[in-house]
Amino acid sequence: MVEKTAYVKRNAFISLGLSIFCLLFCGFIGFYSFGLASSVVETIDYYNVRRDMRAVALAAKVISALGIVFWIVGIVGYFLARRNVGLR
């Protein structure tokens, strides 16, 4: 049980940091962050350890999902703007 507690604490903060980085700089990291946060939430629910870290992991999931959406919108917007300007 001790190793699960350490896993949850470490990976909850790693996923939160990666999701903030994803939101600010590069969105494709959000896929990894979202998966890591989902794994943390599943571990918390299954083993019933570190319930206080569940909010951190859920915040990481939300922030990384927003980062992914903004990244995709940015890519689509870039290609639409490039097409309208005629920079082929």
Side-chain angles (χ1 to χ4, degrees):
M1 236 10 134
V2 174
E3 63 274 355
K4 295 297 179 191
T5 303
Y7 169 82
V8 166
K9 183 178 179 184
R10 181 182 63 242
N11 287 339
F13 285 119
I14 288 173
S15 65
L16 182 63
L18 285 175
S19 64
I20 291 171
F21 185 76
C22 155
L23 184 65
L24 297 177
F25 299 111
C26 50
F28 62 89
I29 293 176
F31 293 108
Y32 177 72
S33 175
F34 190 85
L36 187 62
S38 294
S39 173
V40 169
V41 170
E42 288 175 5
T43 303
I44 289 171
D45 290 341
Y46 186 76
Y47 292 104
N48 201 18
V49 294
R50 293 300 300 233
R51 303 288 296 172
D52 55 331
M53 289 288 127
R54 194 174 200 298
V56 174
L58 289 176
K61 284 179 72 170
V62 169
I63 294 170
S64 62
L66 284 174
I68 293 168
V69 168
F70 290 157
W71 179 60
I72 292 172
V73 167
I75 289 174
V76 170
Y78 171 76
F79 283 113
L80 288 177
R82 184 176 172 185
R83 180 174 169 222
N84 289 337
V85 173
L87 299 175
R88 295 179 193 192

